[in-house]
Amino acid sequence: MKFAYRFSNLLGAVYRQGNLNFSKDGNAVISPVGNRVSVFDLKNNTSETFPISTTKNITCVGVSPDGSLAIVVDEDGAALLVSLITRAVLHHFHFHKPVSSIRFSPDGRKFVVTKENVALMYHAPGKQREFNAFVLDKSYYGPYDETTCIDWTDDSKCFVVGSKDMSTWVFGAERWANLIYYSLGGHKDIIVGCFFEKDSLDLYTVSQDGALCVWESDTELDGLVLKKSLDKPEPVRQEGGEEEEDEDRAEGEEVEVIRGKAELPKDKNKVKNVRYKHRSKHFFNKEAEFNNLTAAAYHKPTHILVTGFASGMFHLHELPEFNLIHSLSISDQRIASVAINSSGDWIAFGCSRMGQLLVWEWQSESYVFKQQGHFNNMASLAYSPDGQYVVTGGDDGKVKVWNTNSGLCFVTFTEHTSSVTNVTFTSSGFVIVSASLDGTVRAFDLHRYRNFRTFTSPRPAQFCSLAVDVSGELVSAGAQDSFEIFLWSMQTGRLLEVLGGHEGPVSSLCFSPVQSILASASWDRAIRLWDMLDSWQVKETLPLTSDGLCVTYRPDGQELAVATLNGEISFWNPQTATQTGSIAGRHDLEVGRKETDKITAKQSAKGKSFTSICYSADGESILAGGHSKFVCIYNVKEQMLVKKFEISCNLSFDAMEEFLDRRKMTEFGSLALVDDGAGDGDGVDISLPGVRRGDMSSRHFKPEIRVSSLRFSPTGRSWAATTTEGLLVYSLDGSLVFDPYDLDLDVTPASIRKQLRLQEWASAIVLAFRLNENAFKQEVLEKVPHEQISVVCGSLPDVYVEKLLGFVATCLEKSSHLQFYMTWAQNLLMLHGQRLKNRSASILPTLQSLQKSIQRHFDNLSKLCDFNMYNIRYAAALSKQKGIKRPAEEEEEEEHEEGMSEEMSEASIEESEMIL
């Protein structure tokens, strides 16, 4: 149970590529982020990342009309059928070719997938268990080039497919007598979007050059006539050379193939065929030569068309009159995806190059949601002292602060002009300090969200390490070019001292949590301990066997851990300056082979090492990560590997596999190094005349998987890592693990409930904690009468006090019974305070978790009370302004209520402060 950490959430990235979708109720956005899927709840302002992942980056997501299922497809065509309710993978499938789009029919019975120039219609998976959830129904051939988009009619009778060959094809989902297929032209560029009108066969098509064609049908949906089985012609069978159909077809399955190029069969009943008429043509952005249209979405009930452009601008038009409602520029990068929710009020935009996700309410012209991750690699992270916030610094020069409860960024600081190398919180939790390669160390205030201190060196220096002492007064930063350590005062902002002595770049700094001693690691194979109280002199020098990369203190300050270039983690006693142990972890890294490497992964692993280490909250374990896809947890006392976490299985990253694919190796080198991604059709790259691909000077590269920083939460319930994929958070999930404590034959749910009936509260609690199931523990606690809490707390054995306190802290975070659990916490701390104080080091994570929960409720309640107080004052002022005279009794009652509310708020604040 102690190391049962599971993937919890992905922060730092909100959108990468692919199409956006809204949930059925329209209150949540489903966004593909790399090879994972995140859901952003716009009503509750929270985010969640599903615990599923594909083998490569996701390119398209299709959501069923009832909102219960989603089909996720990656770059290679590998698909996952995912339940949006249980967040579990239900089925695996492979389309064998890249898929451009996927769309469920409105009735939820079919879905269409487009790959290359083929549209494949499948039976949608039902609610029953099926051996094969993807059953191919029909294959539609028509376009000569790759297909780009799909749309269905409202009654699921027909669907339309757009193509890169500038044509649009209308197909019947059934064998209609008067509509098998229909091809539409009229465009001079790639079709970006095609949309049916509501309850009609009328069409709108939008192309990349900014042209909109309106097509009018001479037949209503009710006019489609189903071909009788007797008149139905024999299905056209595939003849050699069409392997992809055989791959998609199940064994013994009869698949109907509809070819747009074949001659239409003659209808014996002479039913009038569906005909389309080109009604009108409109143009967007005539003045912008290279501002191509890149994304489009249409809301049928309100007739609103939303179009996104390569310049970051979007337009809203009302169809079919093509009236411009408004246009706005929301980004300076290409809009890759557009989606509209079911009510038509909110529009979601995704910008892949900047990693932006925006939700715009067009009627009030305001943002509902606006998030952006680091569009370059993250370099470092730090937890706030209460574990409620995480701050990250990236190579884009931005410092972002994330709420661990909601998973969203609430403030971004952009004052740095170069890469941010390190970030940290002060002990108060309201000041963030960051170091950068631009030669500055900056301090940010979380109350007013401003940069209130900027620390610089006498000579320009690039700072690569940072540390702040426990008091928050001393700020130190190490330079990678001058080999010096700079000390500043937080109060005055003045430079206090420049510490010299290292003969290499200062790679890491760490203050002791209990003494005014600074530990510095350097590439000169030495750790130096500087005494801040004795004229900043070197107290000890610890020799290393290789270059020092990272140094950290144990939370109690009695041990020092150092990661070195030879892949070892060594442990030192800072008081005696002696080494107490070491871990050889090079083989645990399991480094992969990059596509450009000339040597094997086994040989390249000899030069790899851990670049970031961090102690757990109780100091018994250490977390280590580096240039690898694995994060290792070691037991410090036993000096052995306890568990390895694979942070990513995304093969879109480099150095993921140990061996190169021999099928890609030729006499001229690896085919993987050939850049096929240049000019991806986004309209930004200017191609040469007659060249279909884009500018060959624009290069694409595969980012290398690595872990740049690791931190344990002060509560001990979770840990986070900044990786190439983003900020990954792993947390303990106790509900999925059965981990009893002191289990016996008598410890059963029946015996627990028997004790509850006998009103033996203390023994019922002990039995519930021995069984150690959260549901029983919560049931027992909430059945204890309020007046009996102090008696029960006093009679509990010492070994269960700490367990109960930790469980109360966990319940307090999510439960609405605030006063009830606060009473439990207060009685436990008051009655067992002295004994808990003697074990303060071991229960520190529990206390910090309790503090985090209380602080969160305090913030929410204080905002609510302030809001109510302002409303009461406004109502009172309004009544005075209108000249309404209130009776004396009402005034006395209001004064009494105000006095009572002030006393209650003061009492709750005093109670929480006393507990903390």
Side-chain angles (χ1 to χ4, degrees):
M1 176 66 185
K2 187 173 181 181
F3 298 104
Y5 291 96
R6 298 173 183 268
F7 174 78
S8 172
N9 208 351
L10 171 65
L11 284 67
V14 292
Y15 176 74
R16 291 278 170 78
Q17 65 176 18
N19 62 308
L20 298 171
N21 289 275
F22 274 95
S23 59
K24 183 184 177 183
D25 58 4
N27 295 332
V29 178
I30 301 170
S31 170
V33 184
N35 68 332
R36 300 180 185 272
V37 177
S38 294
V39 177
F40 299 93
D41 190 337
L42 306 178
K43 287 285 188 182
N44 300 318
N45 205 33
T46 58
S47 74
E48 179 192 4
T49 303
F50 291 174
I52 62 165
S53 58
T54 56
T55 53
K56 285 201 172 180
N57 287 335
I58 296 170
T59 54
C60 54
V61 179
V63 180
S64 63
D66 60 0
S68 61
L69 296 175
I71 299 175
V72 179
V73 188
D74 68 7
E75 293 171 345
D76 284 346
L80 298 177
L81 177 63
V82 181
S83 168
L84 297 180
I85 300 171
T86 63
R87 275 69 169 138
V89 176
L90 305 178
H91 187 66
H92 292 261
F93 192 76
H94 210 298
F95 292 107
H96 302 287
K97 295 287 175 65
V99 172
S100 57
S101 56
I102 185 168
R103 193 76 177 267
F104 276 87
S105 62
D107 61 6
R109 297 173 59 190
K110 305 283 181 69
F111 69 88
V112 172
V113 174
T114 59
K115 63 174 188 179
E116 295 183 327
N117 64 333
V118 191
L120 305 172
M121 186 165 69
Y122 288 84
H123 292 285
K127 296 181 180 179
Q128 291 81 20
R129 266 187 183 274
E130 297 166 321
F131 175 73
N132 183 13
F134 288 57
V135 179
L136 183 63
D137 183 24
K138 295 183 181 71
S139 298
Y140 296 86
Y141 291 84
Y144 288 90
D145 205 343
E146 293 179 17
T147 49
T148 55
C149 51
I150 310 169
D151 191 39
W152 284 84
T153 54
D154 288 336
D155 58 0
S156 305
K157 290 182 177 179
C158 302
F159 65 93
V160 61
V161 175
S163 171
K164 286 187 178 181
D165 66 359
M166 301 173 286
S167 66
T168 307
W169 292 76
V170 182
F171 293 107
E174 304 291 341
R175 284 296 271 189
W176 305 114
N178 50 347
L179 177 62
I180 299 177
Y181 69 88
Y182 202 100
S183 176
L184 302 170
H187 286 284
K188 298 180 181 179
D189 211 335
I190 296 171
I191 305 297
V192 175
C194 47
F195 313 102
F196 280 110
E197 185 55 272
K198 181 177 175 63
D199 297 325
S200 172
L201 281 172
D202 295 349
L203 265 176
Y204 303 106
T205 56
V206 182
S207 61
Q208 190 174 316
D209 59 356
L212 167 71
C213 288
V214 182
W215 306 90
E216 188 176 358
S217 171
D218 63 352
T219 308
E220 295 296 325
L221 286 170
D222 297 337
L224 294 174
V225 180
L226 189 64
K227 233 182 197 316
K228 295 180 181 178
S229 57
L230 295 174
D231 298 332
K232 185 175 177 182
E234 289 296 321
V236 182
R237 295 292 169 206
Q238 292 260 40
E239 298 181 5
E242 303 281 358
E243 289 98 358
E244 68 267 12
E245 171 117 8
D246 296 333
E247 292 166 347
D248 293 320
R249 184 187 310 161
E251 192 173 332
E253 187 182 337
E254 294 296 327
V255 180
E256 189 176 350
V257 180
I258 297 172
R259 293 183 180 277
K261 275 81 76 174
E263 187 179 345
L264 272 173
K266 293 181 179 180
D267 196 350
K268 298 176 183 177
N269 299 325
K270 295 183 180 180
V271 179
K272 184 183 176 183
N273 290 333
V274 174
R275 298 290 178 188
Y276 276 95
K277 182 175 68 176
H278 190 203
R279 181 177 169 185
S280 59
K281 191 171 185 178
H282 308 279
F283 294 93
F284 305 87
N285 270 7
K286 292 181 182 179
E287 70 281 354
E289 186 178 354
F290 300 113
N291 189 15
N292 287 344
L293 192 148
T294 55
Y298 180 63
H299 189 249
K300 296 178 183 180
T302 56
H303 308 285
I304 298 295
L305 175 69
V306 186
T307 49
F309 294 85
S311 63
M313 181 179 290
F314 78 91
H315 292 336
L316 256 72
H317 286 87
E318 186 181 8
L319 297 183
E321 291 81 10
F322 199 68
N323 296 327
L324 179 66
I325 297 174
H326 79 231
S327 64
L328 186 72
S329 180
I330 57 172
S331 176
D332 57 355
Q333 295 292 331
R334 166 182 178 261
I335 295 176
S337 180
V338 177
I340 309 177
N341 73 340
S342 54
S343 64
D345 297 328
W346 293 348
I347 306 169
F349 299 96
C351 302
S352 56
R353 292 189 177 177
M354 298 288 287
Q356 288 178 320
L357 178 60
L358 313 169
V359 179
W360 175 263
E361 188 175 42
W362 65 273
Q363 291 176 333
S364 63
E365 298 189 9
S366 60
Y367 285 110
V368 177
F369 184 85
K370 189 176 183 181
Q371 289 283 303
Q372 178 182 348
H374 293 277
F375 57 85
N376 279 337
N377 290 334
M378 290 188 191
S380 61
L381 81 130
Y383 269 99
S384 61
D386 59 0
Q388 195 166 354
Y389 304 121
V390 174
V391 60
T392 57
D395 290 346
D396 55 0
K398 293 181 180 178
V399 176
K400 288 179 172 286
V401 189
W402 307 82
N403 189 313
T404 55
N405 295 318
S406 67
L408 301 178
C409 172
F410 63 90
V411 63
T412 302
F413 300 107
T414 59
E415 281 78 7
H416 284 296
T417 57
S418 187
S419 300
V420 177
T421 55
N422 219 314
V423 289
T424 186
F425 272 94
T426 60
S427 56
S428 66
F430 298 113
V431 176
I432 294 169
V433 186
S434 62
S436 171
L437 295 181
D438 63 2
T440 63
V441 174
R442 297 178 183 268
F444 303 97
D445 181 9
L446 281 186
H447 284 302
R448 299 183 180 179
Y449 302 134
R450 64 189 180 98
N451 175 209
F452 70 94
R453 285 280 185 275
T454 301
F455 309 103
T456 57
S457 56
R459 297 181 302 278
Q462 291 184 313
F463 298 115
C464 60
S465 53
L466 176 71
V468 179
D469 75 333
V470 182
S471 66
E473 170 59 23
L474 286 178
V475 179
S476 65
Q480 67 179 13
D481 42 10
S482 63
F483 312 155
E484 295 171 327
I485 301 170
F486 298 87
L487 281 171
W488 296 275
S489 168
M490 180 70 81
Q491 292 289 335
T492 63
R494 295 179 57 186
L495 180 67
L496 300 177
E497 187 65 32
V498 179
L499 308 178
H502 279 296
E503 299 174 2
V506 182
S507 56
S508 181
L509 295 172
C510 185
F511 273 99
S512 169
V514 293
Q515 294 175 299
S516 294
I517 293 177
L518 173 67
S520 62
S522 173
W523 291 6
D524 61 2
R525 301 190 176 190
I527 296 290
R528 296 178 185 266
L529 303 180
W530 310 81
D531 194 343
M532 298 291 103
L533 300 179
D534 189 11
S535 303
W536 300 294
Q537 298 296 319
V538 178
K539 182 181 177 183
E540 293 287 352
T541 301
L542 311 178
L544 302 175
T545 56
S546 185
D547 299 2
L549 300 180
C550 185
V551 61
T552 182
Y553 270 98
R554 202 166 66 185
D556 60 0
Q558 303 303 311
E559 191 175 67
L560 197 67
V562 184
T564 52
L565 192 61
N566 58 0
E568 289 187 358
I569 302 174
S570 54
F571 301 96
W572 299 77
N573 186 327
Q575 275 74 33
T576 61
T578 56
Q579 185 172 349
T580 57
S582 68
I583 296 172
R586 172 169 289 164
H587 298 293
D588 298 328
L589 271 173
E590 291 190 34
V591 181
R593 181 174 179 178
K594 293 196 291 184
E595 291 172 347
T596 54
D597 282 350
K598 302 296 184 185
I599 57 175
T600 62
K602 188 176 181 180
Q603 291 295 324
S604 64
K606 295 179 180 179
K608 303 296 182 181
S609 56
F610 294 118
T611 56
S612 180
I613 56 175
C614 175
Y615 274 100
S616 60
D618 57 6
E620 294 181 4
S621 310
I622 195 164
L623 204 61
H627 292 273
S628 169
K629 62 178 179 179
F630 289 103
V631 171
C632 305
I633 290 187
Y634 293 96
N635 185 293
V636 177
K637 186 178 180 181
E638 303 292 337
Q639 296 178 8
M640 61 181 292
L641 179 67
V642 177
K643 192 169 183 179
K644 285 170 70 171
F645 297 92
E646 186 178 7
I647 58 171
S648 178
C649 60
N650 190 356
L651 297 182
S652 298
F653 293 137
D654 207 356
M656 285 294 295
E657 296 182 291
E658 188 177 355
F659 302 103
L660 294 182
D661 190 352
R662 293 295 177 188
R663 292 172 295 181
K664 294 183 179 179
M665 298 302 292
T666 66
E667 55 182 324
F668 305 107
S670 175
L671 289 176
L673 300 179
V674 178
D675 187 11
D676 289 331
D680 53 358
D682 60 4
V684 179
D685 297 326
I686 306 167
S687 60
L688 296 172
V691 178
R692 294 182 64 188
R693 292 288 181 182
D695 184 10
M696 292 302 291
S697 64
S698 63
R699 306 302 295 165
H700 294 249
F701 68 96
K702 292 175 71 173
E704 181 184 355
I705 187 69
R706 62 189 292 264
V707 178
S708 55
S709 183
L710 289 165
R711 288 292 181 272
F712 248 104
S713 169
T715 62
R717 300 287 303 173
S718 62
W719 58 269
T722 53
T723 67
T724 314
E725 207 168 23
L727 176 60
L728 301 175
V729 180
Y730 287 77
S731 62
L732 286 173
D733 190 0
S735 61
L736 300 177
V737 181
F738 178 61
D739 183 28
Y741 174 79
D742 195 16
L743 192 62
D744 200 354
L745 291 174
D746 299 332
V747 182
T748 61
S751 62
I752 295 172
R753 291 196 171 97
K754 181 181 179 182
Q755 295 296 323
L756 286 176
R757 286 195 298 272
L758 296 173
Q759 296 187 357
E760 297 289 340
W761 312 116
S763 60
I765 289 174
V766 170
L767 288 174
F769 274 85
R770 287 175 67 184
L771 188 63
N772 205 13
E773 282 203 6
N774 287 341
F776 276 108
K777 290 191 284 187
Q778 187 170 353
E779 180 185 345
V780 170
L781 273 190
E782 292 182 358
K783 284 191 176 179
V784 176
H786 189 271
E787 62 275 3
Q788 294 289 325
I789 291 178
S790 58
V791 179
V792 173
C793 288
S795 59
L796 276 178
D798 289 345
V799 69
Y800 292 101
V801 171
E802 185 181 337
K803 294 180 181 296
L804 179 57
L805 191 62
F807 183 71
V808 166
T810 306
C811 290
L812 189 60
E813 190 170 357
K814 298 178 181 179
S815 176
S816 58
H817 305 301
L818 184 57
Q819 185 184 1
F820 180 75
Y821 283 108
M822 287 278 283
T823 307
W824 275 105
Q826 183 181 6
N827 282 282
L828 287 171
L829 291 172
M830 294 293 289
L831 296 172
H832 302 274
Q834 190 58 45
R835 286 190 290 273
L836 291 173
K837 190 175 181 182
N838 296 334
R839 302 198 308 273
S840 58
S842 61
I843 69 161
L844 184 61
T846 304
L847 293 176
Q848 286 176 329
S849 177
L850 184 64
Q851 181 186 4
K852 174 186 174 183
S853 304
I854 295 174
Q855 185 65 39
R856 180 165 164 265
H857 284 295
F858 178 74
D859 292 341
N860 293 338
L861 283 175
S862 60
K863 288 178 184 176
L864 183 63
C865 292
D866 290 342
F867 181 72
N868 291 339
M869 186 172 63
Y870 297 145
N871 282 341
I872 292 171
R873 288 178 181 174
Y874 175 73
L878 200 62
S879 64
K880 287 180 181 178
Q881 186 178 357
K882 289 184 178 180
I884 300 173
K885 293 184 179 180
R886 295 176 297 171
E889 293 179 0
E890 289 184 7
E891 291 182 1
E892 287 179 5
E893 285 181 3
E894 285 189 6
E895 288 176 4
H896 179 66
E897 287 176 1
E898 287 180 5
M900 288 287 290
S901 64
E902 288 177 4
E903 288 175 8
M904 287 177 65
S905 61
E906 288 174 3
S908 64
I909 293 171
E910 287 175 4
E911 187 176 353
S912 61
E913 286 178 351
M914 179 173 59
I915 292 174
L916 294 176

